[in-house]
Structure formats: C-alpha cells, structure tokens
Amino acid sequence: MQSGISSAATQLVSEEVGVEVSHVTKGFGPEGAKLVVLNDVSFSIKRGEFVSVIGPSGCGKSTLLRLVAGLTEADHGTVTVHGEAIRTATRHKSVGLVPQSPALLPWRTVHDNVSLPIRVNSKANVDRRLRDPRQILSSFGLGHAVDKYPFQLSGGMQQRVAIARAFVFDPMVLLMDEPFSALDEMNRDQQRMGLLEFWQSNRKSVMFVTHSVPEAIILSDRIVVMAAHPGRIAEIIDVDLPRPRDENVYATDAFRDLEGYVRNSLKSVMAPGQAA
Amino acid sequence: MSNSELQSRASAGVIAPGSASMNWVRSAKSHLAAWGPPIVTFAIVAVIWQLLALGNPYVLPTLDAVGSNIVSNPGMYWQNFLVTAQEIAIGAGAGILAGFVLAVLMAELPILERAMMPLMVTIMVTPVVAIAPALVVAFGFGMAPKYIVTGLVVFFPMLVNSLAGLKSVDARAHDVLKTLHASRWEIFRELRFPGSMPFFFAGLRIAFPLSVVGAAVAEFAAAGQQAGLGSLLTIAAAQANLPVTWACIALLCLTGVLLVAVLAVIRRYVLWWSEDGA
C-alpha cells in the first residue's frame, strides 16, 4: 500500500513540489508552559496532487492548514509554495482558502462573492489566468444563482460558492478546512463528487483537512494521518485508486481495503484513553 | 387535500388565491393583529389620563386641552420645533460621525483604544445634566452648547456600538481575505465596514432617542434666550401653564418617535441582508 502508486494516479501529478512543509514546530502559550501543537512536521504536496490530512481532534491539522495559508507563523521550520516562502506566496495570491463555513459576504451577490479574490490585491492579477465568475459558477451548477444573495441558497450551494471563490483566481494551491462538515450526509456526498469532478479537470495542489475516512480516500492521492499530543505525522498513505474516480469507487474492494487500512492507522494513533 | 392542509399551506404562503378581496381581507386581518393590541393599550392609558386630569385640574391638563393648545398656536410650536430639530440634526449628526470615525481609528489602531477608552468612559459617566450649565457658561446662550450636549450624548453609544461591530467580523471571511493578502483598506471596504452596519444601526437606535434628551436638557440649562421646545417647556412650567408644558412634552416625544420610525425605514433599506433586518 505504501509503494503501490499506479500510473493512472500520477499521470497529472508533476514531480515538482507544490507545497513543502519542512520541520515545522508550533506551540501556543507562554514560554515554559508552552503547549506544543505541532512537533517537527514535514510533508510535501506535489503540483497537481490532492492530499488529505486526517487525525483525531487536537492533532493540529487545522493549525497546520493555517500555517500553510500564512495565517499563523511557525516557531521553527519553513513552509514554501512553489519554492516561495509562504508570506511571498500569499502576496502573489498563490493560495486559495475554503474555510469550514462558507464565510460568504451576505451583502454581496453570489457573483460578487466569487469575484472577491479578483477585486482585492489586484496587483497580483497581472500575468494570471483569471476565470470568469459566471463560467465557473455554471460549471459548479450554480448558473441560475449568479445574481442571488447567499441567504437565498441552501447550505450545500453556499459551500459550492465558497469553493468557486477559491478556484476563480487560479491559485497554485487550494486549502480546504473540512469544507463539507456542516452539511448533512446526502448533501456532503453530492458536494464531494462535484469537487472531485471539477478538480479532476482543473488539477491543483490541494490540502484537504477532513474527519471522514471515505471522503479522504475518494478524493486523495495521499492521506496524511496525524497523531495528537503533540500533533505529528503518524503515517502517509498512498491511495492507489485509478482516476478519474466517481461514486462507483465506494463499492470496489480496493476502496474497502483502503478504508480498513486507514481506520486501523487512525485507531493506532488514538491514545488508549481517547479511543471512542 | 384536506382542509387543514390547505390552511397550513396558505399560511405558509404557498398558495396565492386569485381573489383580490380575499387578499385584502387577509392583509386587513394581519394589520389588525399587529396594530390592535398597542392601540388598545394607548386607548386605555388615554382614558385613565383623562379621568385623572378631570379630577386633578392643577396637576394634569386634559388631553383635549393640550391638543387644542397645539392647534391654536401651530406657528409658535413649529418655530420652536425647528430650533430643537436643528440642534438634533447638527449636534447628533456630528456626534454620530465623530463616534463612528473614532471607532474606525480604534479598530485599526488598538493602541488608540487602550489610550482613549478610559477617558471616553469618564466622559460618558459624567451626567450630561451637569455638563450643560458649564457649557452655557463657556459658550454662552447661543446654539453652540446645545450642539455640544446633543453631540456628546450620542457620541458614546455610537463609539461603543461601532467599535463592537468593526471588531465582530466573520473570522473565516477575514481568513479568506488575509490569505489573499488583501490590504487593510480592502479588508475595511469589503468586510469590516459593511459587516459593522448592524451594530452601527443598533447604536443609532439608542442615539436617536438620546439626541432628543440631549437637545432638551441643553435648552433647559439655557432657557429664556434661544427658542426650542425645551426652552418653551421650562418657561411654561415656571408659569404653571399646564397645557403648553404638556404640549412641549408631547412634541418632544413625537420627535423621538418620528426619529425611531425613520430609522426603522432606513435600516430596512440598508440592512436587508441582515438576519435581524426587520
């Protein structure tokens, strides 16, 4: 499982590094009584690769995502995107963020919410393949909602708008923080498939934080399993399912084998007292 | 479809019956449901007032005496109302603007908040009734002390509410903007300013009625010189002229009600997107 990378899965993944997290340590609190949230974390995401991060609560996966988004700084270690330090990368608008809640602006139309990344920091729009918000919305099945306001949309549609907002300015890296966790299961699966389909024809480096094992498997090329106290990487699992994938993958033996493997890996990282 | 199902669908607005008269009946009914109870309350208070006034002619004027006094001197009341309205417009307008601008500066420069908030609280807890006479001594009996007092009473609620609004932005939307390396100004324009509007309007909801208090108190302190409903009230009360006294009180009250009503209309146009926008 560790080495079985199928050729289909890597066709569109370049060997060049997209995101490089190198020996990152991060703690909170005063010196001396510091709570270590991330301890010497290193991993990389190749260009065009989809990597999920999964682990128990308190393993620091959200902190890791905030570090890669440039929203917080590491105590030690470095984060680079396409070779640039994360500060420089965000200045060049290289990173798109899909937060846990859609976080749309309620006073803006769907169109104007999606075009927000184009409106701000417009210096970084030079030499960039900006997408037409209308076109990206219609490919997300939201063509009819372009001129609506967020409160007129369902939760699933709002989350799709948030994803469209992250794709619209063509960033090199997409960061998603449990984007479907607020949706009900039926809706979640539908949104997952929508993202999978869109991403398969618009390959970007993705770091996807999730709580769901099936979600991590169906979407990812690799799964980073994290352990808690202190947050660290326990194992990195290759997902050697062929692409393009669709919901039929759930029913395959390969999927079930992987699911069992990932669940075991997660079980082994839960401290005895924490296992649910 | 059963009858009860029909009714529940109709009340949910699913069915729009063609007949206009049915719609009219329903809207009249819903208006009655909304306006009926407060109208009854006002009617009961008016009856009690009238009974008390008839029994105590030297304490309370009857409502008809107050009403006919206003109707017989419309010019006098109008002139005095205009003076008070001007104090409110200029004084409260400046106070609201100053409160909001300082809130923006404090939100952008936290050191400014730490440095100035204690002073602001000190000013806030000083009774405006105590400041007004001192301002009259300093600025004379003209309009200046009235503007200042009116501005002062609205300043603090505007400062505190606007500051809370500017700080209460959606943290995740803020993260999205930060990841895009949006500038301070862009974050203000796209997120902080529009996002603070519900709090700004909550501040106005407090400030508008207070501005009437401020203008009236300022006129009390400097009565007899400049006109205004508050000045007129003081003079009338000194002469034990009950109908004029209460007419001034009623008009000041009406001014406050009008301001709140206008605010509610503006709010609906500006804050239609807010969940508690009604």
Side-chain angles (χ1 to χ4, degrees):
Chain A
M1 197 122 352
Q2 299 298 316
S3 55
I5 305 168
S6 85
S7 59
T10 49
Q11 252 171 12
L12 286 156
V13 177
S14 148
E15 285 308 307
E16 284 179 273
V17 172
V19 177
E20 178 88 66
V21 175
S22 176
H23 302 291
V24 161
T25 298
K26 174 79 182 170
F28 292 107
E31 212 60 54
K34 208 161 202 170
L35 178 71
V36 179
V37 179
L38 292 171
N39 187 26
D40 194 25
V41 170
S42 297
F43 76 102
S44 62
I45 304 173
K46 297 189 201 82
R47 298 191 187 182
E49 189 184 26
F50 200 119
V51 172
S52 287
V53 178
I54 198 165
S57 303
C59 70
K61 52 190 190 296
S62 283
T63 304
L64 185 58
L65 183 121
R66 292 182 68 79
L67 279 162
V68 180
L71 295 169
T72 181
E73 296 216 29
D75 298 338
H76 304 285
T78 55
V79 177
T80 60
V81 169
H82 284 216
E84 289 180 329
I86 190 61
R87 292 274 160 217
T88 317
T90 56
R91 192 159 62 239
H92 295 156
K93 281 207 282 199
S94 303
V95 180
L97 175 67
V98 181
Q100 217 164 28
S101 63
L104 303 177
L105 307 176
W107 51 86
R108 293 273 195 193
T109 61
V110 166
H111 176 278
D112 291 353
N113 265 290
V114 170
S115 62
L116 174 77
I118 299 173
R119 282 202 302 280
V120 303
N121 187 8
S122 52
K123 275 201 302 281
N125 286 347
V126 181
D127 296 330
R128 179 187 284 271
R129 197 169 53 94
L130 296 172
R131 289 164 186 276
D132 176 12
R134 284 175 196 281
Q135 179 245 311
I136 201 166
L137 279 165
S138 61
S139 64
F140 272 79
L142 288 163
H144 62 287
V146 171
D147 297 315
K148 289 192 172 166
Y149 285 90
F151 72 88
Q152 295 170 296
L153 307 184
S154 69
M157 288 161 87
Q158 289 185 19
Q159 197 61 54
R160 256 183 289 164
V161 174
I163 294 171
R165 177 179 62 188
F167 272 102
V168 76
F169 64 108
D170 200 42
M172 298 183 222
V173 175
L174 280 161
L175 307 174
M176 307 197 190
D177 189 5
E178 304 184 42
F180 306 135
S181 59
L183 305 176
D184 61 76
E185 184 56 36
M186 303 266 286
N187 217 325
R188 204 178 299 163
D189 210 44
Q190 199 187 338
Q191 302 306 329
R192 242 173 236 163
M193 289 305 146
L195 171 64
L196 184 61
E197 198 185 307
F198 189 84
W199 177 80
Q200 282 174 159
S201 48
N202 300 272
R203 297 290 284 254
K204 296 275 161 206
S205 314
V206 177
M207 176 177 168
F208 190 97
V209 171
T210 181
H211 266 120
S212 158
V213 174
E215 182 169 275
I217 296 171
I218 195 108
L219 294 173
S220 313
D221 298 309
R222 283 187 298 153
I223 299 172
V224 175
V225 179
M226 292 187 72
H229 311 295
R232 62 196 185 276
I233 292 176
E235 185 178 2
I236 297 178
I237 302 167
D238 287 321
V239 179
D240 49 0
L241 301 169
R243 289 190 190 271
R245 300 177 192 156
D246 55 31
E247 60 269 17
N248 295 325
V249 175
Y250 285 129
T252 61
D253 289 338
F255 181 89
R256 287 205 208 99
D257 290 348
L258 257 171
E259 190 173 359
Y261 184 88
V262 176
R263 285 194 195 282
N264 268 328
S265 174
L266 271 173
K267 201 177 284 173
S268 68
V269 303
M270 307 281 264
Q274 284 179 302
Chain B
M1 201 179 293
S2 77
N3 198 26
S4 66
E5 206 176 298
L6 247 177
Q7 270 176 351
S8 69
R9 278 188 145 210
S11 64
V14 176
I15 292 173
S19 132
S21 68
M22 254 187 84
N23 279 331
W24 185 86
V25 169
R26 191 182 310 132
S27 80
K29 265 187 180 172
S30 69
H31 275 118
L32 195 65
W35 292 96
I39 287 174
V40 170
T41 310
F42 274 112
I44 291 169
V45 170
V47 168
I48 293 171
W49 180 293
Q50 202 69 356
L51 291 175
L52 285 173
L54 288 170
N56 303 280
Y58 298 108
V59 177
L60 277 184
T62 58
L63 292 174
D64 53 285
V66 174
S68 63
N69 192 291
I70 295 175
V71 173
S72 61
N73 290 307
M76 177 187 79
Y77 286 110
W78 181 245
Q79 289 306 320
N80 285 290
F81 166 78
L82 284 182
V83 172
T84 305
Q86 187 186 335
E87 290 162 8
I88 292 171
I90 296 176
I96 289 165
L97 192 68
F100 184 72
V101 169
L102 188 59
V104 170
L105 294 174
M106 283 183 172
E108 295 293 328
L109 299 167
I111 177 109
L112 202 63
E113 184 187 353
R114 284 202 301 279
M116 291 190 70
M117 221 24 152
L119 172 66
M120 294 302 139
V121 174
T122 310
I123 294 173
M124 192 265 306
V125 297
T126 311
V128 70
V129 191
I131 302 175
L135 287 173
V136 172
V137 173
F139 296 98
F141 287 88
M143 293 297 265
K146 282 122 184 172
Y147 295 149
I148 295 173
V149 170
T150 312
L152 214 53
V153 292
V154 301
F155 173 76
F156 199 77
M158 290 318 297
L159 172 68
V160 171
N161 276 280
S162 304
L163 188 59
L166 291 162
K167 285 174 158 186
S168 76
V169 294
D170 181 339
R172 285 171 178 154
H174 191 254
D175 284 350
V176 169
L177 283 161
K178 280 303 243 187
T179 305
L180 294 165
H181 209 268
S183 67
R184 260 176 184 224
W185 161 244
E186 285 167 336
I187 291 175
F188 180 77
R189 185 191 70 198
E190 293 290 345
L191 184 63
R192 278 196 202 283
F193 177 67
S196 73
M197 282 298 109
F199 287 76
F200 181 74
F201 272 82
L204 288 180
R205 186 74 176 67
I206 302 166
F208 272 24
L210 270 185
S211 68
V212 181
V213 176
V217 165
E219 290 177 8
F220 291 170
Q225 292 291 315
Q226 210 84 23
L229 289 173
S231 307
L232 186 61
L233 196 161
T234 332
I235 296 161
Q239 296 167 351
N241 186 338
L242 287 181
V244 174
T245 304
W246 281 95
C248 288
I249 294 173
L251 289 172
L252 284 170
C253 163
L254 196 66
T255 309
V257 170
L258 264 170
L259 284 174
V260 171
V262 168
L263 180 66
V265 173
I266 299 173
R267 192 181 193 286
R268 205 169 304 153
Y269 277 100
V270 177
L271 284 185
W272 51 268
W273 51 267
S274 176
E275 275 161 24
D276 45 84

